[in-house]
Amino acid sequence: MQFNIVADENMPNVEPWFSPYAQSIRRVAGRTLTANALKDADVLLVRSITQVNKNLLSGTPVKFVGSATIGTDHIDQSFLKHQSIPFYHAPGCNAQSVVDWLLSVLCRLRLDHELNWSQKVVGVVGIGHVGSKVANRFKQFGTKVLVCDPVKNANGELPEHIDLESLLVQSDIVCVHAPHTRSGDYLTHQMLNADRLSLMPKNSWLINAGRGPVIEESALLEARVKNGLNIVLDVWPNEPSVSVPLLDAVHLASPHVAGYSLEGKFKGTEMLARAFAKEFGLTAIKSVPLPNGVTVDARLFEKSDVEQWASEIVLALYDPARDTAVMRFSAGNNQLDARTFDALRKEYPTRREIASTTIAHAPEVLKKRLKMFGFTHFK
């Protein structure tokens, strides 16, 4: 059985995973994909920037949709179900990548703002694949962690849950990993509005690597001025456009790439390929191996303070200050436009996860600290 496959141009390894079953594989720009491009397509593989709905799929022969993402807010699953089109996504594929991104952010804040983050109270909003890993990683450092996920709590899965207002009041650092929803009992659209942001302690930190529209932009800028709120954003309220006032207001910025590790991308494509093979009863697909990770010599980053030393090593793998500088340099007078935003994501440098890295010549006291970050290979 052979299939005509249309895939987002930014998905890695589509060819090695899918070519044994492909009559053709055509790459497209996910943001501007139209129904006309799918007139001969059997399989559609997308990322979060493509809205998959009736407008896109009506009149096309598409019989399988896969999204190499954790979230599904860009997919009209009701329509797909009504049309009997199988849908699969990749929950958890890049969760570790987001955790590593967050750790790099915190290391940069430690060095630039003397933020002793592991000794603060951290609130995590959204305890799904990403949020649960974030909360567990903080606990490795002995950090006090508060969690909020009303959906899980309602299902009896999160007895330690506290309401959002209480979490905001008590937290020095709030990490947002909630999905974007516009309906239901627990809608998240602009849930962080002026009233709620005003509850946060003066000079506290808000870090969002979930979905941009869960925060109201005007309220965020107001809280920055009135309450000294410190902001770090990977996702943006009006993404893919980013206003210059908001870009100027944040301490660190990145173009929705927290989950963009090589490992996360590989895993997302693999999960879709295996689901595709199972759906159509195809023979097992051979694995596509990851490239070897890098080795970092700890002596090159030596500092007398072990926490600073560890922070320098983490930042050697990925430094969010680079993304911040690139975004600001790329912005026009009024905004970073959608085309530029997408280009930054498309041309994003390869980033490896912490666990893939080998650390050489680290003394025991440094190894102990690095293991808290997730490093596992030493020599």
Side-chain angles (χ1 to χ4, degrees):
M1 188 180 299
Q2 296 289 295
F3 299 82
N4 292 317
I5 298 171
V6 172
D8 186 288
E9 61 188 355
N10 290 331
M11 282 183 63
N13 295 334
V14 170
E15 286 76 13
W17 278 112
F18 285 87
S19 59
Y21 311 104
Q23 181 173 321
S24 66
I25 297 177
R26 186 157 50 90
R27 297 296 201 137
V28 297
R31 184 84 64 187
T32 57
L33 180 64
T34 64
N36 187 58
L38 301 176
K39 60 184 179 181
D40 298 317
D42 302 304
V43 176
L44 174 62
L45 305 176
V46 301
R47 294 186 59 80
S48 59
I49 61 174
T50 302
Q51 297 295 315
V52 180
N53 49 32
K54 180 178 180 180
N55 290 337
L56 182 65
L57 295 183
S58 288
T60 73
V62 170
K63 55 180 67 75
F64 179 95
V65 173
S67 181
T69 59
I70 291 178
T72 59
D73 52 309
H74 57 300
I75 307 291
D76 186 342
Q77 294 188 65
S78 296
F79 172 76
L80 294 182
K81 184 176 181 180
H82 186 262
Q83 297 298 310
S84 299
I85 299 175
F87 167 69
Y88 293 87
H89 65 128
C93 67
N94 61 357
Q96 189 58 53
S97 176
V98 179
V99 175
D100 289 359
W101 173 90
L102 177 59
L103 291 171
S104 294
V105 163
L106 294 169
C107 287
R108 175 47 62 196
L109 296 180
R110 177 186 291 279
L111 298 186
D112 289 355
H113 301 279
E114 299 182 350
L115 180 64
N116 190 13
W117 53 268
S118 61
Q119 302 303 311
K120 302 294 185 180
V121 178
V122 176
V124 182
V125 181
I127 309 298
H129 290 282
V130 176
S132 59
K133 281 184 174 289
V134 167
N136 288 336
R137 182 54 59 186
F138 275 119
K139 292 174 184 177
Q140 296 297 311
F141 291 89
T143 302
K144 182 177 179 180
V145 180
L146 306 176
V147 296
C148 173
D149 192 317
V151 176
K152 282 205 164 185
N153 181 249
N155 293 333
E157 301 175 38
L158 197 68
E160 64 270 38
H161 159 87
I162 65 173
D163 62 83
L164 180 58
E165 288 77 10
S166 297
L167 181 144
L168 295 174
V169 168
Q170 298 177 50
S171 301
D172 303 302
I173 303 169
V174 174
C175 301
V176 183
H177 301 288
H180 179 221
T181 59
R182 290 180 176 270
S183 60
D185 294 333
Y186 306 105
L187 63 88
T188 64
H189 182 70
Q190 296 188 349
M191 67 177 179
L192 292 173
N193 52 28
D195 289 341
R196 283 177 169 151
L197 291 176
S198 69
L199 299 175
M200 296 183 68
K202 188 174 179 63
N203 299 320
S204 56
W205 290 84
L206 178 65
I207 303 173
N208 188 10
R211 287 291 184 262
V214 305
I215 303 178
E216 185 180 354
E217 180 169 339
S218 59
L220 191 59
L221 292 172
E222 180 182 347
R224 177 79 180 97
V225 174
K226 288 187 176 181
N227 208 31
L229 181 65
N230 298 292
I231 308 163
V232 175
L233 297 179
D234 175 63
V235 293
W236 305 82
N238 296 301
E239 189 179 312
S241 296
V242 178
S243 72
V244 166
L246 182 56
L247 188 56
D248 288 343
V250 304
H251 287 277
L252 292 171
S254 51
H256 199 155
V257 293
Y260 260 36
S261 69
L262 185 65
E263 287 82 356
K265 290 182 176 181
F266 267 51
K267 188 64 176 176
T269 305
E270 176 186 357
M271 290 172 73
L272 295 187
R274 297 196 181 282
F276 166 77
K278 184 176 180 180
E279 178 68 32
F280 292 102
L282 306 174
T283 56
I285 299 177
K286 292 183 178 180
S287 296
V288 179
L290 275 164
N292 292 330
V294 300
T295 297
V296 174
D297 189 335
R299 297 172 297 185
L300 298 175
F301 305 92
E302 185 171 359
K303 295 290 184 294
S304 57
D305 178 77
V306 70
E307 293 185 5
Q308 184 178 356
W309 193 355
S311 294
E312 295 282 4
I313 290 173
V314 171
L315 291 171
L317 301 181
Y318 164 66
D319 190 342
R322 176 233 175 240
D323 285 343
T324 308
V326 170
M327 286 188 72
R328 287 178 173 155
F329 178 81
S330 302
N333 293 329
N334 299 313
Q335 68 174 6
L336 180 70
D337 62 54
R339 179 176 296 182
T340 304
F341 188 91
D342 284 345
L344 292 178
R345 301 183 79 206
K346 181 179 180 180
E347 305 300 330
Y348 196 69
T350 299
R351 188 172 88 232
R352 300 302 301 269
E353 292 178 3
I354 284 173
S356 72
T357 304
T358 299
I359 304 297
H361 307 295
E364 287 303 318
V365 65
L366 179 61
K367 285 183 182 179
K368 183 178 179 181
R369 186 67 179 177
L370 289 174
K371 286 177 181 178
M372 295 180 185
F373 284 92
F375 289 94
T376 58
H377 303 298
F378 298 91
K379 68 176 185 179

